[in-house]
Amino acid sequence: MRIASVLITAMVLLLSISIVAPASPVSNEFDKIMFYGIYNDFNGGDIKGDTIKSFAGSGIGILVPFTSKSSFGLEYSSKDYDNLYYELQATTLYQDKYLLRFNCSRYGKDGTISHFGAYQNYPVNELFQAYFGAGLSMVCFDEDQDPEKWAYFTLFFEAQGQIRITENMFLSAGALYDYHLDGVSLEAGLGVNF
C-alpha cells in the first residue's frame, strides 16, 4: 500500500511538471536531506530511426525524505539543451532490502525517458556503498517525430558507487545503459547530506 501511494504521488508530480529529467545519486539514507552537484554525460541513441541526441552538462540536485523509507528528488542542469533540463525521482525501500526508484529524464526537444527499477545495496565497508539495479524504461520521442511510433518500452541496467569523504560528504559515480536505445548515461558528483 505504501509503495502504491508513493507511485501515485510521483505520477501526480510528473503530470504537474512540464519538463522533467535522468540519473542522480541513489541513497538509502531516508533520514537525511542530500544536496549534490553532478556532471551528466548521456550518449544518445535511436530506436527504428527515432533519435535522442547526446547531452552533457553539470547540474545541482536535492533528495528530500518523504517518509522513513522513501524520498523525492529534483535535479536542475545548467546546460541549455533546447529547453532546460530537469530530473524528478521517487525512491522507496522495499522489504528492507531493495530500493525501488522511478525517475523521468527530459532531453530537450528530443524526448523523455522514464525509468522504473529495483536496486540492491552492497555496503563494501563503512566508507564505500555500491548499488546495482535494472528495470524497465519507457522512451517517448518528441511529437515532431513519427507520431505512430512515439513510445517504446526498453530495459536498462545501472551501477553506482558512493565513497564517504567525511560523515556528511561523499563522492558518487554511476553508469546507466539503456538496452534498446543503446544509450549510455555517465555521472559523477559530490554530495553532502544532513
Side-chain angles (χ1 to χ4, degrees), residues 120-180:
Q120 176 74 54
N121 179 19
Y122 294 93
V124 178
N125 55 43
E126 291 182 3
L127 298 178
F128 184 71
Q129 301 273 329
Y131 297 89
F132 297 95
L136 185 68
S137 60
M138 185 174 74
V139 180
C140 297
F141 294 101
D142 190 58
E143 60 190 32
D144 66 348
Q145 302 188 48
D146 189 344
E148 294 183 1
K149 52 178 185 175
W150 64 275
Y152 299 90
F153 288 97
T154 74
L155 301 174
F156 76 91
F157 305 93
E158 185 172 9
Q160 289 198 23
Q162 293 179 12
I163 298 174
R164 279 279 168 210
I165 301 172
T166 67
E167 183 180 346
N168 292 320
M169 187 175 292
F170 63 91
L171 292 172
S172 70
L176 184 148
Y177 175 70
D178 194 294
Y179 179 72
H180 287 92

Side-chain angles (χ1 to χ4, degrees), residues 63-82:
L63 285 175
V64 179
F66 183 65
T67 69
S68 62
K69 293 186 178 182
S70 64
S71 64
F72 283 97
L74 179 65
E75 183 179 314
Y76 165 76
S77 176
S78 61
K79 175 90 172 181
D80 185 357
Y81 181 69
D82 293 331

